[in-house]
Amino acid sequence: MITLAELNAASADAFVTALAGIFEHSPWVAEAVLPLRPFTSRLQLHDAMCAAVDAAGIDAQLKLIRAHPELAGRAAVRKELTAESTREQQGAGLDACTPGEFATLQTLNDAYNAKFGFPFVLAVRGHNRSSVIAAFMQRLDHDLDTERKTALQQIDRIAGFRLYDSVSSAAGSEILAMLDRLAEFSEQADGLTCSYLSPAHRQTAALIRDWMLAAGLSVEVDAVGNVVGRLHSEQPDAKTLLTGSHYDTVVDGGKYDGRLGIVLPILVALDLRQRGLKLPYALEIIAFSEEEGVRYKSTFLGSGAVVGQFDLQLLDAVDGNGITMRAAMLEAGFDPGQIPAIARDPAKLLGYVEVHIEQGPVLLDEDQALGVVTSIAGSHRYTGSITGLAGHSGTVPMHLRRDAAAAAAELILYVERRCGGVPGLVGTVGRLEVPGGAINVIPGRCSFSLDIRAADDLLRDAAVVDVLAEIDAIAERRKVDIVLTQVMAAGCAPCAPSLQAQWAASIRRVTGNPASRHLPSGAGHDAMKMAAITDIGMLFVRCGNGGISHNPAETMTAEDADIAARVFTDFLSSYPAT
């Protein structure tokens, strides 16, 4: 194992020698990227090496492809594989083929070589013998140019896995590089939007799966699209500590919301493996497929399935293009009938912990890198409509008007007054529309949203009662009709005191800070859903840019990410197994 810093400082010969096995029998790839040092992350190094292969021309690419051994082929039988290829083929079980499987693979190898003139190349990590054979058969249908490009894509993946196996790097810069990479998969060209089961969403899931495999986790993608990586325990009947967050985004969102809580644990798991450290329990990292509710207007699909609360009626929900959730799942290769089987057994869990950006300015204002979350605010959300009477703006006297927009304005100001003076209570009218409005027409209709939150249920519920009473009073005073529909009612989710104490202890050991900042979360998180089946704990990481989130201006530093990774490592290392 060599560090990225050591690679950057190494002599040319040492650099090439250290990376000689990344691309099979092709040290020229490492030689080609020598002038590009220093590299700030493994991803940047991998990108440079792949770009060198792309620029090398077809002849050099074919030579690289031909340098790879057949899968379960004659070189494997003669034990002539490189150490890297040996480990990879053994990991897929290709050293334990039955006679029938071995014969099938030999036949496929011969047919493939006869058609394309080079060996079949597949990044076998995450595969087994049957899936290798299935991939073999599917790719035999390709034409030569398609298959050459496919082989090179697989070689790029193999190189990525090998880099993670052989090069270690500072967590902070790696985390930011990985989050930058995920942000490249978007439904919009000029920002980040990644909604449930969109092409961008599925590309994101595939890359997260590769990173989990690179970390040495066993990986599955479940029936709602959660990507689940598991670090197994050597202890029989060990319980499981869950961690993770969501990988979908809001429209035109930020890079760090949710995804930090996926990438950071993956890198910590990789570090544990590289240092040979064992946990006395199993660790499961869940990249939840959906939390934001953008596409089907229903939040927490991923974590809801894990806690056994997925509403199967949602399968008939329709998106803006008329596509049902069921159809989207089937098109993505998922079986909705398997969703109930996703639910975890609470008796087998140690808890759920989540690392997340604060999405607010408190830590930034107090110059604290990290904070311990005390509770996640519950929320009551409504959509509403106000119906008054449209009229000419110049002919209807002010005292005779039934102005829907004026009624909405009065409501907004009341929500601000009622919630503004109570610490921990917030109220928001985030959407306000005057359909068909015109400069010379008194608004006859208005639609709005209402969101009231607090980390204490009694505090929030008292505000809700007052706001609903004021809505009735406004309707009577202004002679308008106000219809309110509740779309969400979620109670607050207190974090377990024992987990708060363990987070605080880890912060103290890593940073020397004797008094960790404890604060509530005003935003909702998958953790609040997970509280239905186990204790929850949450670590906040400071945001930059005034704490802005759900916005392209969302940011954080590599230094804070690195501190959070070290604290999470300490937390896992000291977490009790019972």
Side-chain angles (χ1 to χ4, degrees):
M1 182 68 65
I2 189 171
T3 69
L4 188 63
E6 290 169 339
L7 271 178
N8 284 329
S11 68
D13 287 344
F15 179 88
V16 173
T17 298
L19 299 178
I22 303 301
F23 285 83
E24 194 87 356
H25 298 297
S26 301
W28 62 266
V29 182
E31 293 169 356
V33 302
L34 260 171
L36 303 179
R37 291 190 292 177
F39 297 101
T40 59
S41 67
R42 278 181 298 244
L43 271 181
Q44 188 187 33
L45 173 57
H46 181 244
D47 286 348
M49 298 181 84
C50 292
V53 172
D54 290 343
I58 291 178
D59 288 344
Q61 292 169 355
L62 288 173
K63 185 176 180 181
L64 172 61
I65 296 170
R66 292 182 180 120
H68 286 75
E70 294 178 333
L71 296 182
R74 296 166 183 83
V77 173
R78 296 192 299 267
K79 301 188 183 301
E80 296 174 353
L81 301 182
T82 63
E84 293 87 357
S85 288
T86 298
R87 285 194 300 270
E88 288 156 1
Q89 295 205 24
Q90 288 174 345
L94 295 176
D95 61 331
C97 289
T98 66
E101 289 168 335
F102 185 76
T104 297
L105 285 166
Q106 298 317 299
T107 299
L108 290 169
N109 274 320
D110 291 343
Y112 186 95
N113 267 294
K115 180 172 182 179
F116 299 114
F118 49 76
F120 177 74
V121 182
L122 179 69
V124 294
R125 191 169 300 196
H127 279 278
N128 54 38
R129 296 191 295 274
S130 62
S131 65
V132 168
I133 290 171
F136 227 138
M137 297 176 70
Q138 182 264 327
R139 283 171 54 185
L140 271 169
D141 290 335
H142 285 175
D143 59 59
L144 177 59
D145 188 57
T146 298
E147 187 54 23
R148 177 180 61 82
K149 293 176 181 176
T150 302
L152 289 171
Q153 290 168 355
Q154 292 298 311
I155 288 171
D156 287 354
R157 291 184 66 226
I158 292 168
F161 291 142
R162 291 179 177 180
L163 274 176
Y164 276 85
D165 285 339
S166 58
V167 179
S168 64
S169 179
S173 57
E174 290 292 331
I175 288 168
L176 295 196
M178 294 165 77
L179 294 172
D180 284 344
R181 179 56 46 84
L182 290 181
E184 294 176 8
F185 304 128
S186 177
E187 296 163 53
Q188 60 180 105
D190 58 348
L192 174 56
T193 300
C194 181
S195 63
Y196 185 54
L197 295 184
S198 65
H201 187 268
R202 292 161 67 178
Q203 288 174 302
T204 301
L207 186 53
I208 290 171
R209 177 180 182 272
D210 268 5
W211 287 338
M212 287 181 173
L213 290 171
L217 308 178
S218 61
V219 187
E220 67 166 334
V221 181
D222 68 25
V224 293
N226 295 326
V227 187
V228 183
R230 186 172 179 84
L231 184 64
H232 294 275
S233 171
E234 295 180 348
Q235 304 298 323
D237 302 321
K239 290 189 175 183
T240 299
L241 178 67
L242 302 176
T243 189
S245 197
H246 63 98
Y247 64 93
D248 68 317
T249 74
V250 297
V251 176
D252 202 22
K255 299 176 184 177
Y256 309 102
D257 172 31
R259 295 168 173 200
L260 173 66
I262 300 167
V263 167
L264 185 148
I266 291 173
L267 286 179
V268 168
L270 172 66
D271 177 64
L272 292 173
R273 181 173 67 84
Q274 289 178 334
R275 292 193 287 144
L277 300 178
K278 307 291 185 181
L279 299 176
Y281 53 86
L283 177 68
E284 197 166 277
I285 303 169
I286 307 178
F288 293 112
S289 59
E290 202 275 354
E291 185 248 36
E292 300 289 4
V294 170
R295 184 172 182 183
Y296 288 103
K297 314 306 178 191
S298 183
T299 56
F300 301 117
L301 295 181
S303 50
V306 170
V307 303
Q309 294 180 0
F310 186 97
D311 182 358
L312 294 176
Q313 293 182 6
L314 291 173
L315 295 173
D316 295 320
V318 177
D319 69 7
N321 294 316
I323 300 171
T324 66
M325 187 184 297
R326 178 183 284 103
M329 286 181 171
L330 292 172
E331 198 275 331
F334 301 139
D335 179 2
Q338 295 300 312
I339 292 174
I342 296 172
R344 301 299 195 270
D345 180 357
K348 297 180 179 179
L349 301 179
L350 291 173
Y352 172 83
V353 293
E354 185 168 349
V355 180
H356 205 284
I357 58 169
E358 181 196 347
Q359 297 183 279
V362 174
L363 295 176
L364 182 65
D365 287 352
E366 297 181 5
D367 195 26
Q368 298 277 342
L370 305 176
V372 178
V373 178
T374 57
S375 181
I376 302 171
S379 174
H380 280 211
R381 297 182 190 175
Y382 303 84
T383 59
S385 64
I386 304 175
T387 303
L389 183 64
H392 196 290
S393 64
T395 62
V396 181
M398 297 297 289
H399 70 286
L400 296 178
R401 296 186 177 196
R402 297 167 57 193
D403 188 329
E410 188 172 350
L411 168 60
I412 293 170
L413 291 173
Y414 178 79
V415 170
E416 183 180 58
R417 288 195 306 273
R418 176 61 180 83
C419 299
V422 182
L425 176 66
V426 293
T428 307
V429 176
R431 181 174 59 83
L432 181 63
E433 299 173 353
V434 181
I439 195 169
N440 60 347
V441 177
I442 300 165
R445 292 185 300 134
C446 191
S447 61
F448 65 95
S449 64
L450 175 62
D451 183 351
I452 300 177
R453 305 187 189 203
D456 179 274
D457 286 341
L458 293 178
L459 191 69
R460 182 204 60 241
D461 291 349
V464 168
V465 169
D466 288 347
V467 170
L468 295 183
E470 183 63 19
I471 286 174
D472 289 341
I474 291 170
E476 184 175 352
R477 281 197 305 271
R478 292 187 170 272
K479 296 180 173 56
V480 296
D481 293 323
I482 304 180
V483 177
L484 204 62
T485 301
Q486 189 166 41
V487 295
M488 180 180 176
C492 71
C495 293
S498 61
L499 291 176
Q500 292 184 52
Q502 288 177 54
W503 279 125
S506 289
I507 292 172
R508 182 174 62 252
R509 285 190 290 266
V510 171
T511 69
N513 184 352
S516 301
R517 181 64 160 92
H518 287 61
L519 69 167
S521 171
H525 303 285
D526 289 296
M528 66 194 302
K529 203 70 176 172
M530 298 301 295
I533 59 170
T534 191
D535 286 345
I536 63 167
M538 198 163 191
L539 181 72
F540 266 168
V541 185
R542 168 172 53 191
C543 295
N545 267 355
I548 194 169
S549 183
H550 278 188
N551 186 294
E554 181 180 280
T555 189
M556 66 178 297
T557 67
E559 291 77 14
D560 286 354
D562 190 77
I563 294 170
R566 288 189 282 126
V567 166
F568 191 63
T569 300
D570 181 271
F571 181 93
L572 295 181
S573 300
S574 58
Y575 195 86
T578 57

